[in-house]
Amino acid sequence: AGHDLDLYYSAFRIPDFIFVTVASLVSISVLVPFIIEKINISSEESKKFIDNVFSFFFLLIIGVSALAFILVPYLVPFIFKGFAVADFPQLIILTRILLLSPILLGISNFFGSITQVYRRFMIYSISPLFYNLGIIAGIIFLYPIFGLKGLVFGVALGALLHLLIQLPFVLKQGMFPRFKFNCDFSEIRKVMVLSVPRTFTLGITQITTIFLIAMATFMPEGSVSIFNFSLNLQGVPLSIIGVSYSIAAFPMLAKYFTAGERGKFLAEMITSARHVIFWSIPISMLFIVLRAQMVRTVLGAGEFNWDNTRLTAAALALFSFSAVAQ
């Protein structure tokens, strides 16, 4: 937990903000009900809807990422004032490379809506594994050659693998989107009306994280890394319990909602919520009690010393209180 990792984690902030705000406009939770509704009408209607939304999203994510690419040299010194001026050129390069990530992951999540509608949960669940595989490849093979740039090249590779693993199924279903310039904005408007409030909420969360990391840059070296390590570790129960239940329940919830079966919809919501609470409370307690052991087991290698362990464990204990709510 030191200078290099602080730069690495800070480079994610602007690309992650773009991903969360722009890509959430066409996220699974927004698109799945629309696609199910269109499939119930006809496969032609669903394909037309997918082509329409994809074309708009693709132009939007490319445009926003290109704008960010131009503005990064001005944004980095403004946000990360705690870093030395000599660090800014490298941080700008890392951030620019990582701008590939929201584009690739955004398209992958768009495809994920299709795999979810057809209940291919295995494909959707292994795509993050391939994302991590790309990051690991960057650490092992690219970092020794390119340094920190090799790490972010690995992230971009992982995002590409995240996309490619879903591509065969989308092609097989005949749902691969066809780009068109003449978008039907009446359909896009319906999607936007539902997605903008959620996008605003997610954007506020990202702004909060950026603000906290900007503060951490004024603290001793390694503070940004400690924050990210603990944030990642507390995300494990969230992913295993919360995300798993929500992803599995969502197509059924969308089906009941579009069919107007309010009773079944509420019953499914209540059942899922009970399961999530039942599992997350004891796991939160377990994380608090065994925080040092968990941190040491996962991160305790190489130059990650006992001081790093203690600080990460303390931050993890604080984060664990939010697990049930998340």
Side-chain angles (χ1 to χ4, degrees):
H3 176 258
D4 286 352
L5 271 184
D6 283 357
L7 290 177
Y8 171 74
Y9 281 125
S10 298
F12 277 88
R13 298 287 31 105
I14 294 171
D16 279 2
F17 179 77
I18 293 171
F19 173 69
V20 164
T21 50
V22 179
S24 67
L25 294 172
V26 290
S27 66
I28 288 165
S29 54
V30 173
L31 286 187
V32 165
F34 283 103
I35 297 173
I36 289 174
E37 183 183 6
K38 298 297 181 183
I39 287 174
N40 289 337
I41 298 170
S42 69
S43 58
E44 289 79 14
E45 278 293 315
S46 61
K47 183 63 169 63
K48 182 181 174 183
F49 174 79
I50 287 168
D51 291 346
N52 197 35
V53 175
F54 176 82
S55 300
F56 172 76
F57 166 71
F58 185 76
L59 289 174
L60 182 64
I61 193 75
I62 291 291
V64 171
S65 298
L67 181 64
F69 187 91
I70 296 167
L71 294 178
V72 160
Y74 307 99
L75 293 172
V76 163
F78 175 75
I79 297 171
F80 306 109
K81 291 181 179 178
F83 285 133
V85 175
D87 292 326
F88 291 150
Q90 187 174 25
L91 187 53
I92 289 166
I93 292 170
L94 298 178
T95 303
R96 280 177 160 173
I97 296 170
L98 284 172
L99 286 171
L100 288 168
S101 182
I103 298 171
L104 295 169
L105 290 177
I107 296 171
S108 181
N109 277 3
F110 185 91
F111 289 165
S113 300
I114 299 169
T115 57
Q116 284 284 73
V117 166
Y118 289 98
R119 303 176 69 82
R120 293 299 190 272
F121 300 125
M122 182 61 73
I123 297 172
Y124 185 78
S125 65
I126 64 173
S127 54
L129 302 181
F130 279 83
Y131 176 65
N132 284 291
L133 194 64
I135 294 172
I136 292 167
I139 294 167
I140 296 171
F141 302 111
L142 301 179
Y143 176 68
I145 302 171
F146 302 105
L148 282 178
K149 284 192 287 187
L151 290 185
V152 294
F153 281 136
V155 175
L157 173 62
L160 179 62
L161 294 175
H162 193 288
L163 166 63
L164 292 177
I165 194 66
Q166 301 191 78
L167 193 57
F169 177 78
V170 174
L171 289 169
K172 183 181 176 184
Q173 293 299 126
M175 289 293 182
F176 187 80
R178 184 169 55 86
F179 184 82
K180 58 180 184 180
F181 283 102
N182 55 332
C183 299
D184 181 1
F185 283 97
S186 62
E187 291 283 4
I188 292 167
R189 197 177 299 112
K190 292 177 186 177
V191 174
M192 295 285 280
V193 165
L194 280 182
S195 62
V196 165
R198 181 174 180 272
T199 299
F200 179 76
T201 306
L202 294 171
I204 291 296
T205 304
Q206 279 296 314
I207 289 169
T208 305
T209 305
I210 290 171
F211 177 74
L212 291 171
I213 288 179
M215 287 175 60
T217 62
F218 289 97
M219 298 176 186
E221 281 190 0
S223 297
V224 174
S225 304
I226 296 292
F227 177 83
N228 277 275
F229 282 140
S230 54
L231 191 67
N232 290 340
L233 286 170
Q234 68 94 32
V236 173
L238 176 65
S239 300
I240 293 174
I241 300 168
V243 175
S244 297
Y245 271 102
S246 62
I247 284 175
F250 193 77
M252 196 58 67
L253 289 171
K255 180 183 176 183
Y256 290 146
F257 186 82
T258 52
E261 298 181 80
R262 182 179 172 83
K264 290 182 178 179
F265 176 87
L266 290 174
E268 186 75 18
M269 281 283 288
I270 291 166
T271 302
S272 297
R274 283 175 174 169
H275 280 272
V276 168
I277 293 167
F278 177 81
W279 289 112
S280 57
I281 289 176
I283 285 183
S284 297
M285 295 301 103
L286 194 67
F287 265 62
I288 293 169
V289 173
L290 300 177
R291 59 191 182 278
Q293 290 85 346
M294 287 180 176
V295 171
R296 200 68 197 153
T297 301
V298 176
L299 300 170
E303 296 180 29
F304 196 84
N305 58 35
W306 181 243
D307 285 338
N308 296 161
T309 301
R310 285 175 57 252
L311 288 168
T312 307
L316 176 61
L318 293 172
F319 273 129
S320 296
F321 283 104
S322 68
V324 178
Q326 289 196 59

